[in-house]
Amino acid sequence: MKVDMRVNIAGVTFKNPVITASGCYGFGGDYTDFYPLSRLGGVCLKGTTLEPRQGNPPPRIAETPMGMLNSVGLQNPGGHAFVTEELPRLTGCGTVLIANAAGSSIESYVGLVELLEGTAIDMIELNISCPNVKEGGMAFGATCEGAARVVRAVRGRTTKPLMVKLSPNVTDIVSIAKACEAEGADAISLINTLLGMRIDIKTRRPVLNQVMGGLSGPAVFPVALRMVWQVAGAVSVPVVGLGGIEKWQDAVEMMMAGAAAVQVGTASFYDVYAPVRIIEGMEAYLEREGFGAASQLTGIARK
Amino acid sequence: MKVDMRVNIAGVTFKNPVITASGCYGFGGDYTDFYPLSRLGGVCLKGTTLEPRQGNPPPRIAETPMGMLNSVGLQNPGGHAFVTEELPRLTGCGTVLIANAAGSSIESYVGLVELLEGTAIDMIELNISCPNVKEGGMAFGATCEGAARVVRAVRGRTTKPLMVKLSPNVTDIVSIAKACEAEGADAISLINTLLGMRIDIKTRRPVLNQVMGGLSGPAVFPVALRMVWQVAGAVSVPVVGLGGIEKWQDAVEMMMAGAAAVQVGTASFYDVYAPVRIIEGMEAYLEREGFGAASQLTGIARK
Amino acid sequence: MLQKAYPLIGRTLIAPHTHSFSIDCPDMAALARPGQFVHVRLPGFLLRRPISVCQITQDGLRIVVEERGAGTEEMARLGSGDLIDLLGPLGNGFLTEAPHRRAVLVGGGIGTPPLLPLAEHYHKAEVFLGFRSADRAILTEDFEAAGATVTLATEDGSAGHHGYVTEPLEQHLARHGADVLYACGPEPMLKAVQALAAKYHVTAYLSLEARMACGVGACLGCAVPILTAEGVVYRHVCKDGPVFPAEEVVL
Amino acid sequence: MLQKAYPLIGRTLIAPHTHSFSIDCPDMAALARPGQFVHVRLPGFLLRRPISVCQITQDGLRIVVEERGAGTEEMARLGSGDLIDLLGPLGNGFLTEAPHRRAVLVGGGIGTPPLLPLAEHYHKAEVFLGFRSADRAILTEDFEAAGATVTLATEDGSAGHHGYVTEPLEQHLARHGADVLYACGPEPMLKAVQALAAKYHVTAYLSLEARMACGVGACLGCAVPILTAEGVVYRHVCKDGPVFPAEEVVL
Ligand SMILES: Cc1cc2nc3c(=O)[nH]c(=O)nc-3n(C[C@H](O)[C@H](O)[C@H](O)COP(=O)(O)OP(=O)(O)OC[C@H]3O[C@@H](n4cnc5c(N)ncnc54)[C@H](O)[C@@H]3O)c2cc1C
Ligand SMILES: Cc1cc2nc3c(=O)[nH]c(=O)nc-3n(C[C@H](O)[C@H](O)[C@H](O)COP(=O)(O)OP(=O)(O)OC[C@H]3O[C@@H](n4cnc5c(N)ncnc54)[C@H](O)[C@@H]3O)c2cc1C
Ligand SMILES: Cc1cc2nc3c(=O)[nH]c(=O)nc-3n(C[C@H](O)[C@H](O)[C@H](O)COP(=O)(O)O)c2cc1C
Ligand SMILES: Cc1cc2nc3c(=O)[nH]c(=O)nc-3n(C[C@H](O)[C@H](O)[C@H](O)COP(=O)(O)O)c2cc1C
Ligand code: FES
Ligand code: FES
């Protein structure tokens, strides 16, 4: 019997539980030399804001043990260009399209999600957790009140399924997740990057122009898994787990902790095939272990 | 010219800036086959509580990418045995002795530091950041009020220099550091472990008996460095930096970020000589680069 | 205790996914005792892997490793001439009695290797080895070469006794008794051996496993519950063990 | 674009800490153009390292790597027969003109390798190479073999012109001009070349470096400020570059 790889999140069916993470996959066109987008469960597109943003000055990248820092700073062409230029290229690509919506004020979040109404976007991932922007971003995601305010404002203005992406740089991730759920979030995704830093001992200066940046990659996996475990135990909406997933085993671990699906980010930077290998490895594992459906993995370590 | 490796923290002179981290060096006796304690700047002894604690049930250890989780749970023989059995073995060992004082209530912290008065202990590291105990520990370190309460209570009862060790599992490390400074902390050390988790996909259960544990090792280095940078920029007492330091380059980075000294924990588990290699590497570097004293490194990346 | 990178002088596959390594480390071998272990650092892994000493010679050590996860799989990629970073010898090893005493050794699967040095110590050890199947059996000839009598058991009956090794063990104890018994293997086997040792009043030692970080007693990671006069307390496999008196082990 | 592990067929030390690698990768070579780069994955490092294509043959690629940090040091430990994991060819490479046009190539230090395929394209390229000292000079014979005229400069005067390479370059441009100029090297050199190209009205292209993650345009990590009609915007070295028209580069 073939394993049923499909998962359903907030009414949207994904053909498999592997989604590429926002900011790590551009607007979907950069990896099509290697495999078609239709292979993926879904694609979270690059973080987009209402107005265009040119992002932070370089250097934007630093390496860390089994991780990396980035301070891209939400460079993007703005909501209008996103809808008129980027989205049309993706029509018929055969995968679930998720817009990653960021903002520096409540109004800008609202303006953006309104722009997305009526587009081909299947789901909105509300990014209240970007550590690389001065205003908004993580500031909203750092408190229950901040998170609740954004979700409430946006919830009223979109008919699309709404997934809220949380920051790990907080004392109490569970309360924030619950606050988002209470305001009508249809799903929670976590984690965004941990705030980190490197210094170049040759130049005696921070490596990143912005001094601090977001840590991602395998190094953060145990933190991500812990937070997914905590949040999945506290909310009843689906949780999408990410942070450091590079192998199918990591994806299985994440789902066993309670995730309904996973996202893969940094791993694609060093292995372009990572998302596909994870899908294939998970499918083989499920078959070997006699699971009928991928969704049966979700939370089995909690039982 | 020989480099002056000494650093002074809260009136205590360390012969070099490398201290072994609490919980990673037992009570100082386990590595003496490899090099004498006198080679070290200082030793932070295993976390000690007023009453003996048997620690958490096993498994207590899990591996992660470039990191590890532990859930030892402050296993220790209690303050009395610490003073009467462990400390006497260390007299004349030729390094700075730092007791790592933990507690589950204000009273237990106070009782312990009172026991330490008049002993050979040179400094107290107040552990308000252990993620592996149900009561006290990280709970105190998670809020400014909690941290301030412990520091205030303890400060009045000890004449020893008081270093407060902070948890990284918080939204705002700077406010907590400032709260500790305001209550009379003589130094701040950070970071303790990040809360993390692993699942064994074979057994489909969390690896650790306690489900979650503390993440340490190189994986956490960029987070530690960022927090040291933030705190050193906000307090005027010395900051001791730790978290993932394994090479002299890491120690130099940490000091450039603002640390007056560093601690080395997990690295000793895979290279028993790590602390010594760091001391030697740092000394050679300082000489090569024409520094007169190790203390000149502190904060130079901030200038 | 030493920490050094030593040259590997040979690797042999002795059963599926099970490799015997000879390591050129005379200085570490000179310190090693039966029942101790070495802590192996592998490229790409933070934590060392504990592996028992299987043979001690003038020239070095032999270890036998079964691939059970990513670390031991990495170890299996090492070959002759490669360097292997060891910390050791660690642990207390087995308490041995006079060589003429009647010793019984009980090994299950990859728990077998640490018993071999005991067979070399005791003149005529009675050795009971259990494996999943005949092709998984390891070291039987080495035990025989050391003068021991080997009784084999396999779960699938493909060699020796069909069933668990504790079955022929019990027959032996019932008939001949023993002065001292040593066991290493999976937990269910140790549990059964513990019960038999009690039943037949044999002094027995069990070698335990635990997830380790430091290997030297510094981290308190490798805790196992041990019954003492003050009740059950945690002892540490790396420093207090890996061998504990059977009656003190809480399984 | 391909991602694959290819066999290394040789490594030669061509200057202190500078290695030339030949890689058996005909399929990737068939796609490669001058000025493109490959992104190299190294065991123990998360991020790939971008390295320019230095020679393109039917059988594969040649790259030249200077040890500048932990990753390039790790690369220097690779030897014949080892596999090397490449993603490539990446980037846009150099815009080339007809082979008979008068091309000037300016390389500084480890910026030299990407220029060699240009020397093979242009019939009689004028090549200006600057190094710290004579022993650091690389590829001069390869350029000459490609039919180019090489002018060498060293900072310590141990070979060729004593001083910066931009000094003989300026003399040449003043005297002979050029149709097109390509430069790769350290930032101060690029800055000087940019100024000379403007002064002598030569179409010029600069190859830039930036810290990279993905190498394919997906992460927006490798930003460099570029002057466009709408002002200064960030472009990406991996996808829009590494080569940019000199007048658009903001240094
Ligand atoms: C004292 C002692 C002696 C041992 N002697 C031998 C021997 O002679 N031959 C042999 O093949 N094996 C022996 N083992 C078991 C061996 O240490 C594990 O099989 C090995 O650590 C697994 O590592 P891995 O990376 O392949 O597995 P993974 O499951 O990927 O390892 C993940 C983590 O768990 C730890 N771990 C997993 N299983 C065990 C285990 N059973 N015991 C301790 N830690 C574990 C690993 O060390 C690592 O830290 C011994 C264990 C101990 C404690
Ligand atoms: C398009 C391009 C082509 C290049 N071609 C060559 C070449 O042909 N030969 C050669 O020797 N070098 C070349 N370089 C430079 C080479 O990529 C760096 O020297 C190398 O990445 C340093 O890695 P490391 O681990 O040794 O140094 P570390 O300083 O330890 O590296 C730390 C991190 O910074 C990055 N980094 C450090 N220096 C640079 C740099 N100058 N450019 C980009 N990233 C850097 C590394 O990739 C890594 O992510 C090129 C760079 C670019 C962008
Ligand atoms: C270069 C880079 C850019 C990112 N940009 C975004 C973004 O625009 N929006 C967002 O929500 N997350 C962004 N992230 C965070 C990732 O989506 C993801 O949450 C994080 O990297 C952890 O997952 P990983 O370890 O699999 O990469 C970015 C991460 C990286 C590395
Ligand atoms: C096994 C283990 C036990 C620890 N026990 C203590 C402790 O008792 N008290 C304490 O303050 N920190 C304890 N820590 C935290 C370390 O002192 C240190 O803060 C942390 O490990 C980060 O540093 P590292 O990455 O260099 O190990 C422990 C860490 C480990 C790995
Ligand atoms: S492994 Fe550290 S105490 Fe045993
Ligand atoms: S390196 Fe990712 S966009 Fe250039």
Side-chain angles (χ1 to χ4, degrees):
Chain A
M1 258 282 294
K2 273 294 285 167
V3 178
D4 184 356
M5 289 292 281
R6 288 171 305 173
V7 295
N8 186 298
I9 297 170
V12 179
T13 300
F14 293 72
K15 66 173 65 152
N16 64 58
V18 178
I19 304 165
T20 53
S22 179
C24 304
Y25 215 74
F27 289 114
D30 303 307
Y31 289 102
T32 46
D33 264 26
F34 302 100
Y35 55 87
L37 282 180
S38 60
R39 201 66 196 81
L40 298 170
V43 175
C44 283
L45 303 166
K46 172 65 194 163
T48 302
T49 48
L50 182 57
E51 300 299 331
R53 285 181 59 96
Q54 62 169 0
N56 291 322
R60 293 178 174 183
I61 300 286
E63 195 178 38
T64 75
M66 279 294 118
M68 62 171 280
L69 298 171
N70 88 81
S71 59
V72 168
L74 287 177
Q75 174 179 343
N76 81 88
H80 182 74
F82 175 74
V83 170
T84 58
E85 289 164 36
E86 300 299 340
L87 269 188
R89 288 187 206 150
L90 290 165
T91 42
C93 71
T95 192
V96 171
L97 295 178
I98 303 172
N100 182 269
S104 50
S105 64
I106 300 281
E107 299 69 49
S108 63
Y109 276 106
V110 169
L112 180 64
V113 301
E114 286 179 343
L115 265 185
L116 298 174
E117 279 299 290
T119 66
I121 283 298
D122 298 297
M123 186 182 269
I124 293 174
E125 181 174 59
L126 200 64
N127 177 356
I128 57 168
S129 46
C130 180
N132 291 319
V133 291
K134 293 233 161 52
E135 285 156 13
M138 203 169 79
F140 285 114
T143 63
C144 292
E145 302 71 46
R149 270 176 62 211
V150 186
V151 178
R152 193 181 315 138
V154 165
R155 178 68 293 177
R157 307 300 186 87
T158 182
T159 59
K160 308 249 182 215
L162 189 63
M163 175 154 79
V164 182
K165 183 165 178 184
L166 303 186
S167 166
N169 301 293
V170 297
T171 312
D172 182 3
I173 192 86
V174 166
S175 305
I176 295 174
K178 281 172 150 173
C180 295
E181 183 184 34
E183 297 295 345
D186 299 307
I188 302 285
S189 58
L190 74 167
I191 60 174
N192 208 314
T193 52
L194 277 163
L195 203 53
M197 169 175 179
R198 285 308 298 264
I199 288 171
D200 182 337
I201 66 172
K202 282 184 207 142
T203 61
R204 303 180 188 173
R205 293 291 312 150
V207 172
L208 300 176
N209 176 288
Q210 298 291 291
V211 180
M212 298 174 213
L215 180 66
S216 61
V220 310
F221 179 73
V223 175
L225 189 77
R226 181 264 293 185
M227 290 188 163
V228 166
W229 174 276
Q230 291 176 314
V231 168
V235 300
S236 42
V237 295
V239 172
V240 173
L242 75 153
I245 294 174
E246 60 167 3
K247 306 189 295 284
W248 66 261
Q249 290 93 333
D250 306 329
V252 167
E253 239 180 275
M254 197 59 104
M255 291 183 67
M256 285 182 169
V262 299
Q263 292 181 22
V264 178
T266 302
S268 286
F269 300 161
Y270 50 93
D271 176 10
V272 295
Y273 295 108
V276 176
R277 288 199 222 272
I278 291 169
I279 295 164
E280 289 171 354
M282 190 190 288
E283 187 161 11
Y285 163 83
L286 291 168
E287 213 164 320
R288 213 159 51 231
E289 299 279 315
F291 285 92
S295 58
Q296 291 169 346
L297 279 177
T298 300
I300 61 172
R302 321 182 62 90
K303 282 161 198 157
Chain B
M1 261 282 295
K2 274 290 290 158
V3 177
D4 184 356
M5 289 292 281
R6 289 172 305 173
V7 294
N8 185 297
I9 297 170
V12 179
T13 300
F14 294 72
K15 64 173 65 153
N16 63 60
V18 177
I19 304 165
T20 54
S22 180
C24 302
Y25 215 74
F27 288 116
D30 302 308
Y31 288 102
T32 47
D33 265 26
F34 301 101
Y35 56 86
L37 283 181
S38 60
R39 199 68 195 80
L40 299 169
V43 175
C44 284
L45 302 166
K46 172 66 195 164
T48 302
T49 48
L50 183 58
E51 301 300 331
R53 285 181 60 97
Q54 64 169 0
N56 291 324
R60 294 179 174 181
I61 300 285
E63 196 178 38
T64 75
M66 279 294 117
M68 62 171 280
L69 298 171
N70 89 82
S71 60
V72 169
L74 287 178
Q75 174 179 343
N76 80 90
H80 183 73
F82 175 73
V83 170
T84 59
E85 288 164 38
E86 299 300 340
L87 269 189
R89 286 186 207 151
L90 290 165
T91 42
C93 72
T95 192
V96 170
L97 295 178
I98 303 172
N100 182 269
S104 51
S105 64
I106 299 280
E107 299 70 46
S108 63
Y109 276 106
V110 168
L112 179 64
V113 301
E114 287 178 343
L115 265 184
L116 297 175
E117 278 300 289
T119 66
I121 284 296
D122 298 298
M123 187 182 265
I124 293 174
E125 181 175 60
L126 200 66
N127 177 354
I128 57 169
S129 46
C130 180
N132 292 318
V133 292
K134 292 233 162 49
E135 285 156 13
M138 204 168 79
F140 285 114
T143 62
C144 293
E145 303 71 45
R149 269 177 62 213
V150 186
V151 178
R152 193 181 313 139
V154 164
R155 177 71 290 178
R157 309 299 187 89
T158 182
T159 59
K160 307 245 183 222
L162 189 63
M163 175 155 80
V164 182
K165 184 164 177 184
L166 303 185
S167 166
N169 300 293
V170 297
T171 311
D172 181 2
I173 191 86
V174 166
S175 305
I176 295 173
K178 282 173 151 174
C180 295
E181 183 184 34
E183 297 295 345
D186 299 306
I188 302 286
S189 58
L190 73 170
I191 59 173
N192 209 315
T193 52
L194 277 163
L195 204 53
M197 172 176 176
R198 286 307 296 265
I199 288 171
D200 182 338
I201 66 172
K202 283 183 207 144
T203 62
R204 304 179 187 175
R205 292 289 313 148
V207 173
L208 299 176
N209 175 288
Q210 298 291 293
V211 181
M212 298 174 212
L215 179 65
S216 62
V220 309
F221 179 73
V223 175
L225 190 78
R226 180 265 294 185
M227 290 189 164
V228 166
W229 173 278
Q230 290 177 312
V231 169
V235 299
S236 41
V237 295
V239 172
V240 173
L242 74 155
I245 294 175
E246 60 167 4
K247 306 189 294 284
W248 65 262
Q249 290 92 332
D250 305 330
V252 167
E253 240 180 277
M254 198 57 106
M255 291 183 68
M256 285 182 168
V262 299
Q263 293 182 21
V264 177
T266 302
S268 286
F269 301 161
Y270 50 94
D271 177 10
V272 295
Y273 296 107
V276 174
R277 288 198 223 272
I278 291 169
I279 295 164
E280 289 170 355
M282 190 191 289
E283 187 162 8
Y285 163 82
L286 291 168
E287 215 166 317
R288 214 160 50 232
E289 298 280 315
F291 285 92
S295 59
Q296 292 170 346
L297 280 178
T298 300
I300 63 172
R302 317 181 67 90
K303 282 158 197 165
Chain C
M1 273 187 267
L2 296 166
Q3 179 191 290
K4 264 193 207 175
Y6 294 100
L8 233 153
I9 50 179
R11 177 171 65 84
T12 333
L13 190 79
I14 60 171
H17 305 290
T18 309
H19 310 265
S20 171
F21 296 86
S22 302
I23 303 163
D24 176 10
C25 56
D27 52 353
M28 192 176 282
L31 303 173
R33 295 189 313 275
Q36 288 190 301
F37 66 95
V38 293
H39 218 20
V40 185
R41 189 171 180 188
L42 295 161
F45 294 84
L46 191 92
L47 296 177
R48 291 174 177 270
R49 284 1 188 206
I51 301 292
S52 302
V53 162
C54 168
Q55 227 166 355
I56 307 167
T57 68
Q58 284 221 314
D59 301 330
L61 295 171
R62 177 185 182 190
I63 59 177
V64 171
V65 179
E66 186 183 56
E67 294 175 48
R68 285 206 280 184
T72 46
E73 281 163 22
E74 178 65 32
M75 216 182 305
R77 275 189 280 272
L78 293 177
S80 218
D82 285 342
L83 291 177
I84 182 163
D85 182 336
L86 303 183
L87 172 64
L90 302 178
N92 280 316
F94 295 111
L95 262 185
T96 49
E97 307 193 352
H100 65 270
R101 304 274 286 169
R102 293 173 310 144
V104 169
L105 317 181
V106 190
I110 194 62
T112 302
L115 302 174
L116 186 56
L118 286 175
E120 287 167 355
H121 171 80
Y122 288 105
H123 289 330
K124 290 177 164 211
E126 286 288 342
V127 181
F128 294 84
L129 302 180
F131 300 97
R132 234 178 299 156
S133 53
D135 66 327
R136 297 301 194 106
I138 53 171
L139 302 177
T140 51
E141 289 164 20
D142 299 78
F143 279 100
E144 281 161 1
T149 310
V150 176
T151 304
L152 198 65
T154 55
E155 288 175 41
D156 68 354
S158 51
H161 172 81
H162 186 168
Y164 289 120
V165 70
T166 41
E167 293 150 7
L169 171 66
E170 170 147 26
Q171 288 174 8
H172 179 84
L173 291 180
R175 230 174 279 162
H176 309 286
D179 294 328
V180 58
L181 186 154
Y182 302 87
C184 185
E187 206 172 292
M189 185 200 96
L190 293 184
K191 226 170 176 146
V193 170
Q194 191 184 38
L196 292 177
K199 182 166 171 195
Y200 297 100
H201 307 287
V202 184
T203 306
Y205 299 94
L206 308 181
S207 185
L208 305 184
E209 290 191 353
R211 289 183 182 238
M212 290 188 181
C214 71
V216 300
C219 76
L220 309 184
C222 59
V224 285
I226 295 291
L227 191 67
T228 67
E230 299 103 55
V232 174
V233 300
Y234 290 121
R235 292 275 184 261
H236 298 93
V237 169
C238 73
K239 198 174 181 175
D240 307 316
V243 181
F244 294 90
E247 69 275 17
E248 298 177 8
V249 172
V250 183
L251 286 168
Chain D
M1 273 187 270
L2 297 166
Q3 179 191 288
K4 262 195 208 173
Y6 293 101
L8 232 152
I9 49 177
R11 176 171 65 84
T12 331
L13 190 78
I14 59 170
H17 306 289
T18 308
H19 311 264
S20 172
F21 296 86
S22 301
I23 304 163
D24 176 10
C25 55
D27 52 354
M28 192 176 284
L31 303 173
R33 294 190 313 274
Q36 287 191 302
F37 65 98
V38 294
H39 217 19
V40 185
R41 188 172 180 188
L42 296 163
F45 294 84
L46 190 93
L47 296 177
R48 291 175 177 269
R49 296 322 195 237
I51 302 292
S52 302
V53 163
C54 168
Q55 228 166 352
I56 306 167
T57 69
Q58 283 222 314
D59 300 329
L61 295 171
R62 176 186 183 190
I63 58 176
V64 170
V65 179
E66 186 182 54
E67 295 175 48
R68 285 205 280 185
T72 45
E73 283 164 22
E74 179 67 31
M75 216 183 303
R77 278 190 278 273
L78 295 175
S80 217
D82 286 341
L83 291 177
I84 183 164
D85 182 336
L86 303 185
L87 171 65
L90 303 177
N92 281 316
F94 296 109
L95 263 185
T96 48
E97 307 194 352
H100 67 272
R101 303 275 286 167
R102 293 173 309 144
V104 170
L105 318 181
V106 190
I110 195 62
T112 302
L115 302 175
L116 186 56
L118 286 176
E120 288 167 354
H121 172 80
Y122 287 105
H123 289 330
K124 288 175 167 216
E126 286 288 339
V127 180
F128 294 83
L129 302 179
F131 301 97
R132 234 177 300 155
S133 53
D135 66 327
R136 297 300 195 107
I138 53 171
L139 301 177
T140 51
E141 289 163 18
D142 299 78
F143 279 99
E144 279 161 1
T149 310
V150 176
T151 305
L152 198 66
T154 56
E155 288 175 39
D156 69 353
S158 52
H161 171 79
H162 186 167
Y164 291 121
V165 69
T166 40
E167 293 151 7
L169 171 66
E170 171 147 27
Q171 287 174 8
H172 178 86
L173 292 180
R175 231 175 278 163
H176 309 286
D179 294 329
V180 57
L181 185 155
Y182 302 88
C184 184
E187 208 173 292
M189 186 199 94
L190 294 183
K191 224 170 179 146
V193 170
Q194 191 183 38
L196 291 176
K199 183 168 168 191
Y200 295 101
H201 307 287
V202 183
T203 307
Y205 298 93
L206 309 182
S207 184
L208 303 184
E209 291 191 351
R211 291 185 179 236
M212 290 189 180
C214 71
V216 301
C219 76
L220 309 185
C222 60
V224 284
I226 295 291
L227 190 68
T228 67
E230 300 103 56
V232 174
V233 301
Y234 291 120
R235 291 276 184 261
H236 298 93
V237 169
C238 75
K239 199 174 180 175
D240 307 316
V243 182
F244 294 90
E247 69 277 14
E248 297 177 9
V249 172
V250 183
L251 287 168

